[in-house]
Amino acid sequence: ETGVTQSPTHLIKTRGQQVTLRCSSQSGHNTVSWYQQALGQGPQFIFQYYREEENGRGNFPPRFSGLQFPNYSSELNVNALELDDSALYLCASSLEQGADGYTFGSGTRLTVV
Amino acid sequence: SQQGEEDPQALSIQEGENATMNCSYKTSINNLQWYRQNSGRGLVHLILIRSNEREKHSGRLRVTLDTSKKSSSLLITASRAADTASYFCATARFSGNTPLVFGKGTRLSVIA
């Protein structure tokens, strides 16, 4: 059984660019959630995918979008990057929408300059 | 917005001592979860306690939940240097299809 894998681990982008972050969920998990964690803060919910459909979204603008694939892996896309998008992006997978807790990946550290 | 508030924000103890962290939240919940984070990396799930439970144990961890006070505590007994990390509580309002709402965390330092 493998855990949650995120790629890349670190990324530097320029303001206005677009970025795609990737997540491979834990084997058997059908739910993927994405969180943004600014320095010194707790994670903030971006959105969740369950069986390839988005079924929950936090207070993030439409330039944050995502996908979940048939193998339940996922992508987070951010367009028109802003300096405030600099953060640790965490992916979490679970079975059946997190009823028994989530398994988190190690995160992608995004720096926007 | 943050649902939970951990207290204290930072805690420093000697190895072998017990560490207690508290969490308060605002709305009704289905369950409350505690996570550990080392050096700004991924979160590790420690324990989940449901709203109809009052206490739960896992190894050196003991979690209590008081839904009337909307609060929870995490006790780590016989702390070790390896317990040094940030600890977050997260609440889930429903049993499924619900995001976790995190607090800002408690930074625990265990001094050898």
Side-chain angles (χ1 to χ4, degrees):
Chain A
E1 178 178 288
T2 59
V4 175
T5 304
Q6 291 187 244
S7 62
T9 55
H10 295 85
L11 200 54
I12 299 175
K13 287 287 192 178
T14 303
R15 189 172 47 183
Q17 284 188 314
Q18 178 267 343
V19 69
T20 298
L21 309 182
R22 294 179 173 82
C23 172
S24 294
S25 57
Q26 181 167 315
S27 177
H29 285 184
N30 57 20
T31 305
V32 173
S33 306
W34 286 90
Y35 289 80
Q36 180 196 66
Q37 186 178 22
L39 203 60
Q41 301 294 314
Q44 297 279 323
F45 175 70
I46 303 175
F47 45 58
Q48 176 170 287
Y49 281 83
Y50 172 63
R51 297 181 184 271
E52 302 179 59
E53 297 285 334
E54 183 183 299
N55 75 341
R57 188 176 183 93
N59 189 26
F60 280 81
R63 59 189 185 83
F64 285 78
S65 64
L67 282 173
Q68 187 180 31
F69 299 101
N71 66 355
Y72 300 134
S73 65
S74 177
E75 286 183 355
L76 164 65
N77 299 291
V78 186
N79 294 322
L81 284 166
E82 301 176 359
L83 298 179
D84 285 348
D85 295 333
S86 295
L88 180 68
Y89 288 84
L90 295 162
C91 168
S93 75
S94 65
L95 188 60
E96 297 303 322
Q97 305 181 80
D100 294 313
Y102 290 85
T103 301
F104 279 80
S106 296
T108 293
R109 174 72 63 187
L110 173 65
T111 303
V112 182
V113 298
Chain B
S1 62
Q2 309 284 157
Q3 150 87 307
E5 285 282 338
E6 287 92 342
D7 171 57
Q9 292 184 351
L11 179 62
S12 183
I13 60 174
Q14 297 288 327
E15 205 168 30
E17 294 181 335
N18 296 341
T20 300
M21 288 160 269
N22 302 297
C23 168
S24 59
Y25 56 91
K26 298 173 185 174
T27 66
S28 61
I29 60 171
N30 174 272
N31 66 75
L32 185 145
Q33 304 174 33
W34 284 90
Y35 288 83
R36 184 185 74 223
Q37 185 176 42
N38 290 81
S39 302
R41 300 307 294 174
L43 297 165
V44 175
H45 181 260
L46 297 176
I47 200 162
L48 181 153
I49 185 165
R50 302 190 190 281
S51 60
N52 61 351
E53 298 175 308
R54 292 296 167 259
E55 188 171 312
K56 209 162 182 181
H57 296 256
S58 177
R60 294 184 295 114
L61 306 180
R62 172 178 169 254
V63 168
T64 62
L65 179 64
D66 186 335
T67 53
S68 67
K69 295 181 179 178
K70 292 187 170 58
S71 67
S72 174
S73 68
L74 170 67
L75 168 68
I76 304 174
T77 60
S79 64
R80 306 166 182 168
D83 294 328
T84 295
S86 291
Y87 291 81
F88 294 90
C89 71
T91 55
R93 290 201 66 186
F94 310 106
S95 62
N97 189 21
T98 181
L100 292 178
V101 182
F102 286 84
K104 292 185 179 182
T106 291
R107 174 69 189 171
L108 173 65
S109 297
V110 181
I111 302 165

